[in-house]
Amino acid sequence: MSSALSREYQRLGAADTTRTLAYARLRRAVQNLIDSGVLQPGQALPSERDLCQQLSLSRVTVRRALSGLVESGLLTQRHGAGSFVAERIQRSFSRLTSFTDDLRERGLNPRSEFFERSVGEVTPEEAMALNLSPGSGVIRFHRVRYGGDAPLAVERTLVPHALLPDPLSVVDSLYEALQPHGHRPVRALQHLRAVALDAETAKLLHLPTGSPGLLIERRAFLADGRVVESTRSFYRGDAYDFVAELHSE
């Protein structure tokens, strides 16, 4: 792997016409090897000292490159052990689970940074998404979802106010907040497509504009057919795999 990283770093240098800084070139070299599958989840990178020797870089340059990759969620660092390629998170399309449930199952610490958590009158477009009458109340959430220190998704969620009286009851998991009211969804429809992240979304996810992402649109329902949630989520394309089990009958 050391030779592959060295070759990719040198290749980027030879093709560079803009005098990219060394730490940014090293970050790109590691990311390219992860994207191409040369570096696998859980695989260790060479030590900082080895990288300095192999690439003729200073320790400050190598540390800056690695810290940027950790911040973007591509690497994890273990004290005394080194840097490792982050494990990709798998979400099943055959199970109705929350973001919080998925991360807790994998031993990650989920948290949210809210930009909006408000109550208002439903707009015509929101009324169609939630099957609500004009004048009904709606709760709007806009937040970034984190796994530990890494931003993983940006979400905009609508919930009928009648089903969730207090928007502040949502700390991490929406479904956990709905549970005491008997309004946890029992089924959902999801649509997924690949997108290039726009400037605003990419900035929130600590990624360059145009980075690959996954857009998931979910409408979740109660047992009586009422819509309890309408969510648009932009996920990092470098951190998630979505898996579905298929049957012939």
Side-chain angles (χ1 to χ4, degrees):
M1 190 276 292
S2 298
S3 60
L5 181 54
S6 180
R7 288 196 300 270
E8 182 63 13
Y9 180 81
Q10 298 301 331
R11 184 189 71 80
L12 291 175
D16 186 16
T17 60
T18 60
R19 296 185 179 181
T20 302
L21 294 175
Y23 81 91
R25 190 193 311 165
L26 178 55
R27 283 178 59 176
R28 174 54 60 182
V30 173
Q31 183 171 347
N32 286 351
L33 294 185
I34 293 174
D35 291 343
S36 64
V38 175
L39 287 174
Q40 293 291 314
Q43 186 172 348
L45 267 67
S47 68
E48 290 183 3
R49 178 180 298 177
D50 288 343
L51 287 173
C52 292
Q53 293 176 348
Q54 293 166 14
L55 305 177
S56 300
L57 296 174
S58 70
R59 183 67 68 90
V60 171
T61 297
V62 170
R63 284 182 176 173
R64 187 173 181 184
L66 296 180
S67 65
L69 291 162
V70 170
E71 182 179 342
S72 64
L74 292 176
L75 297 181
T76 59
Q77 290 183 321
R78 305 172 195 165
H79 183 68
S83 300
F84 298 81
V85 179
E87 299 284 350
R88 293 177 66 87
I89 300 169
Q90 288 193 350
R91 291 197 66 180
S92 172
F93 260 8
S94 58
R95 295 174 57 220
L96 179 53
T97 58
S98 69
F99 177 97
T100 301
D101 292 336
D102 291 332
L103 265 63
R104 284 176 178 166
E105 285 181 2
R106 289 156 181 79
L108 298 174
N109 179 34
R111 65 181 180 89
S112 298
E113 180 182 359
F114 284 88
F115 298 101
E116 181 180 12
R117 192 162 28 175
S118 63
V119 179
E121 184 175 316
V122 69
T123 66
E125 183 178 345
E126 292 169 345
M128 290 184 63
L130 296 173
N131 291 341
L132 293 178
S133 302
S136 299
V138 65
I139 296 176
R140 302 180 182 96
F141 298 105
H142 178 205
R143 56 180 169 165
V144 177
R145 312 298 301 272
Y146 285 81
D149 294 327
L152 299 176
V154 177
E155 287 186 352
R156 288 188 179 273
T157 300
L158 303 171
V159 178
H161 191 203
L163 301 181
L164 184 67
D166 183 8
L168 296 180
S169 65
V170 178
V171 178
D172 287 314
S173 173
L174 169 63
Y175 290 2
E176 287 182 1
L178 290 166
Q179 183 77 44
H181 305 285
H183 294 149
R184 188 180 179 108
V186 298
R187 68 181 183 91
L189 296 176
Q190 290 194 146
H191 298 272
L192 178 150
R193 69 174 182 269
V195 295
L197 298 175
D198 62 29
E200 179 185 357
T201 304
K203 182 179 181 180
L204 292 173
L205 293 175
H206 301 176
L207 295 172
T209 300
S211 294
L214 297 169
L215 169 60
I216 296 183
E217 297 175 298
R218 172 186 284 194
R219 294 177 76 214
F221 302 85
L222 302 178
D224 61 9
R226 284 180 293 170
V227 181
V228 66
E229 170 203 11
S230 176
T231 295
R232 284 171 55 89
S233 303
F234 289 91
Y235 284 84
R236 304 176 59 112
D238 59 8
Y240 269 85
D241 290 322
F242 287 85
V243 180
E245 181 177 352
L246 305 178
H247 298 273
S248 61
E249 295 181 359

